Amino acid sequence: MERVSFVIATVHEVALKGGNRGWFERTLVHNVRAALKGLPVAEVSIPARVVIRFSEPVAWHEVRRRIETVFGINGMMPVERAGTTYDQLERFVSEHAAEFSGATFAVRCKRSDKRFPLTSEEVNRRLGAFVNELTGMAVNLENPDVTVHVLVQSDGLYVYKDHYPGPGGLPVGTSGRVAVLMSGGIDSPVAAYLAMKRGTRAHYVHFHSAPYTSDTSVAKVERLVRLLTRHQGSSRLAVVPFGDCQREIVSSCPERLRVVLYRRMMLRTAERIARRWRCEALVTGESLNQVASQTLENLAAIDRVAHLPMLRPLVGLDKQEIIAIAERAGTFEISILPHQDSCSFLQPQHPATRTTAAACEEAETPIDVEAWARRLQHEATVTVVQYSWNA
Ligand code: ATP
Ligand code: MG
């Protein structure tokens, strides 16, 4: 399959039922158009499935890799238009008979336009007999060499041979807006991917410890965010210099609680930034019990400082599953590049695995946490990240 003039993408039915259907569809069409930016798109409509018409033939692999980033799309196929009547369908098939190579075939029709005079079953039978007559191929419904798929839609008849999986999920923008706490690691990019997959628009907050560490994490996060932004066109990234705050926590608070206290400060700051961006939830890449700071007790003590809902899309996943998604999302190879996460004086020897909000509040008394959160918010550098397919 080299070049295509029509592509049809299928949509997860569940999301499109009910009163919000029109809005879901408009958002999805908008997202498809955005993903195809720069290609000669003549029209994107959604009579039942998403129908994309190009004004000139376009390389299929290019279309495919772009549609693969549009959440809400379940599958896609390069199609050819075969007119609007059954007779035109037969004519189309006879003109393309040379493309059907194999000993056996099957016709599979799906009819979404119930006004079409033939049922799916009738199309299967009549076109099956026609192809058999035309080519001599035998019908085999179980395991055919060639499948002639026919879609009967209100906008016409389409024929295709192969279909390809889409990313699934819901269209970005239909589930609200979130701020992702983004490290340079493997997990938080996957959390962002999954949050977008459920239809949220994601923005990002990253904390770095420069000058106490190198700022390689910032460059990694920028790369990760740019890649993830291909699912939504543009996003915001706030980069927060966190080293001085960490140094004060190190000098004023109990060593065992450090990591939990850092995380509470991150959350307070991220929440301020998130509200400014009108985000409705925070997302982290935490799983349960993956590391010492992620016991249920510690997560509870961390969450206590947040007022927005905390979403943890990875909570039920083990590392292998997370890595598989990271590979699918394309983030894995960036995440595993070396970077300096923290330096040894910032890390505790024996981090507490079970703490409480009360113990954290007590430990925080020497520092003015609200003043720090305000200061960190103001010191954040915010950039708008755009994804460009041609870059
Ligand atoms: P990741 O792979 O995302 O770094 P992790 O398994 O290393 O996660 P932690 O280091 O405990 O786990 O971090 C837990 C979560 O806290 C991260 O997934 C991320 O959401 C957030 N987080 C950690 N460090 C930072 C940071 N420097 N900036 C922003 N968020 C962070
Ligand atoms: Mg990490």
Side-chain angles (χ1 to χ4, degrees), residues 178-179 205 269-282 308:
V178 297
V205 184
T269 309
E271 186 163 88
R272 285 171 163 271
I273 294 168
R275 284 189 188 282
R276 178 63 63 92
W277 291 344
R278 289 183 288 118
C279 293
E280 295 140 295
L282 298 174
L308 290 174

Side-chain angles (χ1 to χ4, degrees), residues 183-188 263 290 294 339 341:
S183 73
I186 293 169
D187 298 339
S188 37
R263 206 73 88 222
Q290 197 189 75
Q294 297 175 8
H339 80 275
D341 208 359

Side-chain angles (χ1 to χ4, degrees), residues 8-13 16 21 25 28-29 45-51 73 110-113 151-156 158:
I8 286 185
T10 56
V11 173
H12 208 319
E13 298 278 322
L16 299 179
R21 182 178 176 138
E25 291 184 345
L28 187 62
V29 166
S45 58
I46 184 162
R49 304 165 183 90
V50 179
V51 179
I73 298 294
K110 282 195 191 133
R111 186 179 69 147
S112 57
D113 179 14
L151 296 176
V152 177
Q153 303 194 150
S154 58
D155 61 321
Y158 296 91

Side-chain angles (χ1 to χ4, degrees), residues 129-140:
F130 180 78
V131 172
N132 169 256
E133 181 102 330
L134 188 73
T135 63
M137 287 196 290
V139 173
N140 178 341

Side-chain angles (χ1 to χ4, degrees), residues 267-311:
L267 229 56
R268 290 186 184 98
T269 309
E271 186 163 88
R272 285 171 163 271
I273 294 168
R275 284 189 188 282
R276 178 63 63 92
W277 291 344
R278 289 183 288 118
C279 293
E280 295 140 295
L282 298 174
V283 173
T284 77
E286 286 153 328
S287 186
L288 205 49
N289 268 339
Q290 197 189 75
V291 291
S293 60
Q294 297 175 8
T295 61
L296 198 51
E297 292 88 342
N298 284 355
L299 293 182
I302 293 167
D303 276 15
R304 197 61 71 85
V305 303
H307 303 88
L308 290 174
M310 297 293 304
L311 302 183

Side-chain angles (χ1 to χ4, degrees), residues 88-106:
Q88 287 171 332
L89 177 63
E90 279 195 353
R91 202 168 318 135
F92 174 88
V93 168
S94 61
E95 281 163 12
H96 290 78
E99 294 166 28
F100 305 139
S101 58
T104 60
F105 78 101

